[in-house]
């Protein structure tokens, strides 16, 4: 099995599990990156954070276009 196929399958399983159960992506993504993809723990944590930032930015853009973002409350929270 190539690394790309393994990464896609692992990503799909992690995404489906977290989507169904709710939870932080790092709970399953970091161990998958370490044990299946051979990342070091530092690399896996960094990759997981980059993935979360990308996903969050995409979701924010979609919600902002729909007018569903409360910017002032978000700034206070941040």
């Amino acid at each position: 099995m190539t690394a790309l196929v393994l990464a896609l399958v692992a990503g799909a399983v992690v995404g489906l599990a977290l989507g169904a159960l709710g939870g932080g992506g790092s709970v399953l993504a970091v161990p998958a990156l370490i044990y299946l993809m051979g990342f070091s723990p530092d690399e896996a944590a960094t990759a997981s954070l980059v993935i979360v930032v990308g996903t969050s930015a995409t979701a924010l853009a979609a919600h902002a276009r729909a007018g569903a973002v409360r910017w002032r409350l978000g700034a206070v929270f941040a």
Side-chain angles (χ1 to χ4, degrees):
M1 190 179 286
T2 67
L4 178 61
V5 172
L6 182 60
L8 290 173
V9 170
V13 170
V14 168
L16 288 172
L18 293 175
L21 302 174
S26 295
V27 171
L28 295 176
V30 171
L33 289 170
I34 291 170
Y35 295 114
L36 296 177
M37 302 304 299
F39 283 38
S40 72
D42 292 341
E43 292 171 336
T46 303
S48 179
L49 288 173
V50 169
I51 293 166
V52 168
V53 167
T55 304
S56 298
T58 303
L60 175 63
H63 285 285
R65 278 193 302 273
V69 177
R70 295 169 58 184
W71 292 104
R72 186 175 299 161
L73 182 61
V76 169
F77 182 72

